[in-house]
Amino acid sequence: VFGLSSVAQVVLGRGDFGQHLSINLGFGIGVTLGIHAAGGISGAHLNAAITITHCILGNLPWRKLPAYLIGQFLGSFTAAATVFGLYYDALYDYTKGNFTVMGPTATASIFSTYPAPYVSLPGAFFTEFTATAMLLLGILVIHDEKNNGALKGTQALLTGILVLGIGLGMGLNTGYAINPSRDLPPRVFTAIAGWGMDVFTAGDHWWWVPLTAPILGSLAGVLIHKLFIDFHNQPIPKSGNEKGQTVVETS
């Protein structure tokens, strides 16, 4: 709701009620509050790519995956419907009742991501892949208690700031979906609500990229963290001799 409504205000306000930074802040605030709301209940799985990654790594049973994905889908779909209702009058005034995906009064991008006209499909895929890898790498670093992890209670805020940083630096090409759960449900909603099936054909059938690239990027982020941080930060096993040696050296 925070993220999509910030996009709606910037687009429908024709730049008089916020800029790109407003959108980045809106999504960062939304992620922070989402983690606080669901962190103690479900671990705050707000991103299908991260949930699937946890299943692949064995951190989450596969039998729980459907429940997590359904919850994410319903939450995102309801958010899109809420923002649509909130800004329906503004949408109608802006488009004169003609909801389009492309063109001077396009509004489908309020709800889901679409690539910039100059970006090739491979370039867009690489953008989403890289941005999601940075997301996972950042999350793992924030929660890495063996390293210089975040102070207890600050993880949600720092994760929101991480999303803000990704939007500030990697949002130009594709709108930084970095989350299948953030992109597909609102796209389905717009298809139902008046934009039609163009939401799936626009951008050279772009819709599948925010579903697949984040999953691969998420796995890449885990691999990078494992190879370059976690493997080099393992606790040193302590034996009796080592403890004795430590006492001697200290003396």
Side-chain angles (χ1 to χ4, degrees):
V1 170
F2 281 95
L4 299 186
S5 62
S6 66
V7 182
Q9 182 162 288
V10 171
V11 172
L12 302 177
R14 295 176 170 84
D16 294 330
F17 294 89
Q19 300 292 334
H20 185 64
L21 177 60
S22 306
I23 299 171
N24 300 329
L25 288 170
F27 275 105
I29 292 169
V31 167
T32 298
L33 294 177
I35 294 172
H36 277 297
I41 299 171
S42 66
H45 282 243
L46 312 178
N47 188 327
I50 297 177
T51 302
I52 292 171
T53 297
H54 276 296
C55 289
I56 292 173
L57 296 177
N59 299 329
L60 184 71
W62 283 99
R63 59 183 173 79
K64 291 187 176 183
L65 180 63
Y68 277 81
L69 295 186
I70 290 171
Q72 293 164 8
F73 187 100
L74 291 176
S76 191
F77 187 91
T78 305
T82 301
V83 173
F84 179 77
L86 182 68
Y87 278 112
Y88 179 78
D89 292 335
L91 275 165
Y92 198 90
D93 177 71
Y94 184 82
T95 64
K96 307 307 178 189
N98 183 26
F99 297 162
T100 59
V101 178
M102 298 294 177
T105 59
T107 48
S109 60
I110 291 175
F111 301 92
S112 295
T113 62
Y114 294 88
Y118 58 83
V119 182
S120 66
L121 200 60
F125 191 100
F126 182 67
T127 298
E128 287 294 321
F129 173 88
T130 304
T132 313
M134 293 299 100
L135 174 67
L136 256 292
L137 182 58
I139 290 174
L140 291 172
V141 168
I142 289 170
H143 291 85
D144 190 353
E145 296 182 356
K146 293 184 296 184
N147 196 2
N148 190 23
L151 295 175
K152 183 176 176 59
T154 65
Q155 293 93 338
L157 176 61
L158 290 174
T159 305
I161 294 174
L162 170 63
V163 173
L164 167 63
I166 291 172
L168 289 174
M170 295 175 242
L172 178 64
N173 289 342
T174 61
Y176 73 111
I178 61 174
N179 181 359
S181 305
R182 170 264 179 274
D183 196 80
L184 180 60
R187 195 178 301 275
V188 173
F189 174 82
T190 51
I192 298 170
W195 282 266
M197 296 305 292
D198 287 349
V199 299
F200 291 103
T201 58
D204 196 17
H205 295 80
W206 154 260
W207 70 273
W208 64 271
V209 175
L211 300 185
T212 56
I215 295 173
L216 296 176
S218 178
L219 292 170
V222 172
L223 179 62
I224 292 170
H225 179 266
K226 200 72 176 174
L227 289 177
F228 296 102
I229 298 177
D230 195 48
F231 280 159
H232 307 280
N233 198 33
Q234 299 293 340
I236 300 174
K238 293 183 179 180
S239 64
N241 291 335
E242 289 175 336
K243 288 182 179 179
Q245 183 66 29
T246 300
V247 172
V248 172
E249 290 176 351
T250 303
S251 302

